[in-house]
Amino acid sequence: MTYLLALDQGTSSSRSILFHRDGHAVAMAQRELPQIFPRPGWVEHDPMEIWNAQLATAREALAQAGVDAAQVQAIGITNQRETTLLWDRRTGRPLHHALVWQDRRSEPLCARLREEGHAPTIQAKTGLVVDAYFSATKLRWLLDHVDGARAAAERGELAFGTVDSWLIWQLTGGRVHATDVSNASRTMLFNVHDNTWDAELLQLLQIPPSLLPRVQPSSSAFAETDPALFGRALPICGVAGDQQSALFGQACFSAGMAKNTYGTGCFLLMHTGERFQPSHNGLVVTSAAQTSATPQYAMEGSVFVGGAVVQWLRDGLKAIEGSAQVQALAESVPDAGGVMLVPAFTGLGAPYWNAEARGTITGLTRGTTLAHIARAALESIAFQSAALLTAMSRDVQAAGGAPVTELRVDGGAAVNDLLMQFQADLLGIPVVRPAVTETTALGAAYLAGLACGVYAGTDELSAQWRAERRFEPAMDRARAAEAMARWERAVRQTVQD
């Protein structure tokens, strides 16, 4: 039997999934990752917690399946992107907690970059807007605020990485410092046209080049693990940021295919092939997972708070005891009763890019119940995603392309039928949920399998993709447009004069 082990290190948990070559999951282990909130708008993770939990789940998945490491052909890694780590090359110890992608502490530096007129250059080189979401300004913050960090960095003693680089470093006992193009493209330091770290941007951000990992195609031989970890050395042959990995796992290999992942945030990506197509509607261009040195691109929109709004209902409002209860509570009322909830807890991402926005609930009456708020919370996920696809369609059609005809979906909240139907209603196109919803981990497994020869090519992977359910739009288009107009009015109210 041929197996591929996917390490899926996410924002809220570390997971490992063992896949058979036919794409079905054989075993899965998961551990929750504690969130650290030192101040409002600051979000951190303990790097050693990330590593220890990831290693533990990998061992648990193998044990659960009764599979010996000798039967594992390769490891694939997929990870929360933009999250920024800095560690000592000699000891392997982190200098500070990881700054999570949601962390907003470097927004003042971003504001200065925008005021000084650097945004167009940065966008032209990287495909990204200037925002604290990306890694570059987080790394600059660490160098400026951790005692001795800048001096040590300039002496070549430190290593920077996104979570994939940190895991590769740990898995290899500090022998390999590497990343892939998809993760590098999220740093705001990487030139996506020629797949290299950009010297001009490094100088602008005052980042010593010695900090940076080497960059490889997403499907390639990265390293072998320390034999002591699993009883033998296992090749690491696939690495991709979680959203590009999900695009790959959804078999969206050609231009015009799109997927939306409903996780802590929501991430809508459309493959644009070898064409770098800048957005004029608040989206970003990112490197897609690549199987060769030839650049491949995707247009992306990111929602900062997607499924996390359900966690807020559970932990903040205490409206539900468990996340699985939200659908039943929301379905206990026929609609949201005019309530609009905009979960701008850490500002708004694409297509709005407003760091100052804050969460609001509007349309409350004496008849409003927790059920209405729960329904409005669920619907907010679909509204934000619909705003992204609308912006994406404007960009594509302006460039002479065809609009998206169906949306493939995955992630934890994609199991919610009420949400998926409402999403199809707002968009006016089918929403398709695959038989294997663990597409982020599956993408990493597929990338690893391609590089080590388990699969002959992407046509074989396309043939394995299966739909579990199609949600056809049932809402009148005029009603859907009216609902979106109400949403946009609610968004405007998130920013106070």
Side-chain angles (χ1 to χ4, degrees):
M1 299 287 277
T2 300
Y3 298 100
L4 296 160
L5 179 62
L7 309 185
D8 181 1
Q9 204 299 302
T11 309
S12 55
S13 70
S14 297
R15 305 188 308 158
S16 293
I17 303 182
L18 188 67
F19 288 98
H20 185 264
R21 75 173 312 282
D22 66 7
H24 82 265
V26 177
M28 192 265 280
Q30 179 169 349
R31 294 197 179 184
E32 195 162 327
L33 184 63
Q35 309 295 300
I36 302 165
F37 305 104
R39 297 186 197 175
W42 292 25
V43 190
E44 299 178 356
H45 289 158
D46 181 338
M48 298 312 297
E49 287 261 12
I50 290 174
W51 162 238
N52 290 329
Q54 195 62 70
L55 177 62
T57 60
R59 288 170 168 166
E60 285 170 25
L62 292 173
Q64 190 184 116
V67 168
D68 186 84
Q71 297 172 270
V72 177
Q73 291 291 110
I75 288 176
I77 296 173
T78 184
N79 55 285
Q80 53 168 315
R81 305 171 304 168
E82 300 93 22
T83 295
T84 301
L85 298 96
L86 188 64
W87 65 92
D88 186 295
R89 287 181 178 275
R90 185 178 59 81
T91 65
R93 301 298 300 180
L95 270 71
H96 191 276
H97 282 154
L99 304 192
V100 178
W101 57 273
Q102 297 159 314
D103 190 283
R104 306 298 299 171
R105 75 187 68 184
S106 63
E107 173 54 29
L109 174 55
C110 292
R112 193 162 79 242
L113 291 170
R114 292 191 293 265
E115 287 162 10
E116 291 172 355
H118 298 296
T121 299
I122 291 172
Q123 186 166 23
K125 288 170 174 284
T126 68
L128 308 178
V129 299
V130 175
D131 193 83
Y133 174 33
F134 304 110
S135 311
T137 56
K138 298 181 196 296
L139 175 55
R140 170 69 182 272
W141 188 95
L142 289 170
L143 292 174
D144 289 347
H145 290 84
V146 176
D147 284 348
R150 180 164 291 283
E154 287 169 355
R155 291 193 299 269
E157 296 171 2
L158 304 184
F160 149 75
T162 42
V163 169
D164 58 306
S165 293
W166 172 244
L167 292 178
I168 292 169
W169 182 277
Q170 294 294 337
L171 285 164
T172 62
R175 288 182 296 105
V176 177
H177 186 209
T179 189
D180 90 299
V181 289
S182 70
N183 278 294
S185 76
R186 308 300 294 183
T187 61
M188 218 169 76
L189 298 170
F190 191 69
N191 190 312
V192 296
H193 301 279
D194 57 15
N195 283 348
T196 59
W197 298 114
D198 192 279
E200 184 183 354
L201 296 182
L202 292 175
Q203 187 172 13
L204 174 65
L205 273 298
Q206 298 173 25
I207 306 295
S210 62
L211 285 169
L212 303 171
R214 76 164 186 255
V215 185
Q216 299 181 204
S218 313
S219 180
S220 61
F222 284 83
E224 287 194 340
T225 64
D226 185 330
L229 296 177
F230 301 107
R232 70 184 288 264
L234 295 176
I236 302 168
C237 292
V239 176
D242 51 11
Q243 303 316 316
Q244 291 99 324
S245 187
L247 188 71
F248 203 85
Q250 284 277 33
C252 295
F253 303 132
S254 56
M257 299 184 75
K259 71 89 199 174
N260 196 21
T261 296
Y262 299 81
T264 305
C266 288
F267 301 89
L268 180 62
L269 273 73
M270 184 183 71
H271 208 295
T272 60
E274 295 180 18
R275 180 180 181 183
F276 179 90
Q277 182 180 314
S279 172
H280 303 287
N281 290 282
L283 304 177
V284 300
V285 179
T286 194
S287 294
Q290 294 172 15
T291 58
S292 71
T294 304
Q296 297 268 314
Y297 302 104
M299 191 169 285
E300 174 174 340
S302 308
V303 170
F304 292 159
V305 177
V309 74
V310 177
Q311 294 172 330
W312 174 74
L313 287 175
R314 181 192 68 191
D315 303 333
L317 286 192
K318 311 292 184 188
I320 50 176
E321 290 182 3
S323 298
Q325 297 172 348
V326 70
Q327 180 167 336
L329 180 59
E331 285 183 328
S332 69
V333 289
D335 53 47
V339 175
M340 281 281 179
L341 190 159
V342 184
F345 303 143
T346 56
L348 285 171
Y352 309 107
W353 294 110
N354 193 321
E356 305 307 317
R358 288 297 175 263
T360 62
I361 303 176
T362 60
L364 298 175
T365 68
R366 282 291 297 272
T368 300
T369 66
L370 273 177
H372 292 107
I373 293 173
R375 187 158 186 136
L378 266 189
E379 290 183 352
S380 76
I381 302 172
F383 277 123
Q384 291 177 97
S385 298
L388 289 180
L389 194 64
T390 299
M392 199 171 279
S393 296
R394 283 199 293 266
D395 277 326
V396 170
Q397 289 175 292
V404 173
T405 56
E406 71 172 28
L407 182 65
R408 296 185 175 185
V409 298
D410 52 63
V415 302
N416 190 301
D417 292 349
L418 176 68
L419 173 59
M420 294 299 100
Q421 183 58 55
F422 189 65
Q423 188 71 86
D425 289 344
L426 286 179
L427 295 176
I429 59 174
V431 166
V432 187
R433 187 167 62 201
V436 178
T437 56
E438 299 290 357
T439 53
T440 301
L442 184 61
Y446 279 168
L447 287 164
L450 279 170
C452 72
V454 171
Y455 306 112
T458 54
D459 287 349
E460 186 177 352
L461 302 180
S462 293
Q464 286 192 179
W465 188 89
R466 295 283 185 277
E468 179 262 328
R469 181 168 173 183
R470 288 175 67 87
F471 296 86
E472 299 287 346
M475 184 184 287
D476 176 81
R477 297 316 302 146
R479 243 184 89 207
E482 185 185 319
M484 283 304 299
R486 287 201 311 273
W487 167 258
E488 294 296 342
R489 279 198 300 274
V491 166
R492 289 194 291 272
Q493 292 176 270
T494 63
V495 182
Q496 304 300 317
D497 294 331

